Amino acid sequence: MDWNSFLGHERQRAWFRNAIQNNRLASTFLMVGPDGIGKRTFARLIAKTMLCTGSEPSAFAPCCRCEACAQIDASSHPDLIEIARRPDKTSLIMEQLVGEGDRRMREGLCYELRMKPYSGRCKIAIVDDADTIAEEGANSLLKTLEEPPPGSLIFLISTSVQRQLPTIRSRCQMARFQPLTVNSLAQLILRHAYSDNPADALSLAAQASGSMSTVANWTNEELRMFRTELFHQLVQRPLDFTKLAKAVQGNMESVGTDTQPRRERLKVILDFALQFYRSGMELQLNAQSADASDSAAMAQFGHLMSLDSDSFVTAIQRCMAAREHLDRMVSPASLIEAWAADLAVISQA
Ligand SMILES: [Zn+2]
């Protein structure tokens, strides 16, 4: 991966290029934006730019041929430390930051950052899922954020500023990332072989809210089947909210008993519902111009959707609120029931 093949985020690129060329790069960045838009890849490209031995950082064009570039691609560069939430955990754990048991402060990200750079240039840390750092972990990270080792660079990857503890937020420079454009997303869909047809890629991209994570969910076969079932239920009048809640709960539970995977699944389902109402509203607005980004998945339901535009907006807001509540760890079962019941009321309006 190099800057030429990286899509989007031109403003952030220009900003970082300028900061590197003028030697004004801060130490600690909070990179904020939705999932699946390339924040982590961006941070890794900055790491490549800084650590490439075939090109100076100021050139802002890592060679992608030297050993350092290859090591970064393989996640094996000794000066690049990357951590992310472990799949079976709901948060980043202390051990990842400051080491375990009697190894405390002698391993983990904060310790490794203080080691002398192997390359002689700098140490770089990328903390993915930074939204999930619990308070205890955050406290152990504060000192490192407050006094970063000289020349080190720390990237915290986050989906929401609100989800960051104020103590962390105040110690970082913020870099905001926007969803990808439909054209960029369509190119990525083709590149990653989610589709081999440019027209289909464009249609998929138009529904995916600028995120590759959404593309992956929309193209997953099992999820695709559930989504169709969900859409069928959402167009029913009256909307049978008990049936809807049961179907959603059942699908969420199908991923196992662990809290985190269930939460992730419920988030995907809420996004489907959100997309359903957004597309429905779009179809209604574009009723006269049939050629507008009309999506195959929605077209079959469009004529069944009898909501007025205010109700569309209310339904969209209700889905967004449910998603936010989920982030705040409300019990999923009661969240699903309340959400389904409210949709039933909204759809009667
Ligand atoms: Zn290189």
Side-chain angles (χ1 to χ4, degrees), residues 180-295:
L180 293 163
T181 62
V182 171
N183 280 330
S184 294
L185 202 55
Q187 284 185 56
L188 285 173
I189 287 167
L190 292 169
R191 189 189 292 171
H192 293 281
Y194 282 107
S195 165
D196 52 10
N197 174 318
D200 289 349
L202 211 54
S203 154
L204 179 57
Q207 306 167 59
S209 320
S211 158
M212 278 303 278
S213 307
T214 310
V215 169
N217 292 333
W218 278 76
T219 48
N220 172 298
E221 193 47 42
E222 185 221 327
L223 281 170
R224 194 208 304 262
M225 280 161 61
F226 179 72
R227 192 181 68 213
T228 306
E229 185 195 332
L230 179 74
F231 286 6
H232 272 297
Q233 292 209 22
L234 291 177
V235 291
Q236 295 304 318
R237 296 292 176 269
L239 194 155
D240 184 343
F241 65 87
T242 317
K243 193 174 162 203
L244 173 65
K246 207 171 157 203
V248 171
Q249 178 103 15
N251 188 278
M252 179 187 77
E253 288 172 356
S254 72
V255 299
T257 51
D258 288 342
T259 319
Q260 191 56 29
R262 282 186 174 192
R263 198 177 296 277
E264 300 289 332
R265 172 55 65 92
L266 185 51
K267 211 180 274 185
V268 170
I269 296 173
L270 290 172
D271 280 348
F272 283 159
L274 193 55
Q275 197 59 38
F276 173 84
Y277 290 112
R278 278 189 180 142
S279 302
M281 188 160 79
E282 206 172 296
L283 281 174
Q284 196 182 57
L285 291 172
N286 295 334
Q288 290 88 352
S289 54
D291 60 30
S293 67
D294 132 48
S295 75

Side-chain angles (χ1 to χ4, degrees), residues 48 51-55 62-70:
K48 223 181 209 185
L51 296 169
C52 170
T53 55
S55 161
C63 73
C64 294
R65 289 185 302 272
C66 70
E67 197 188 345
C69 283

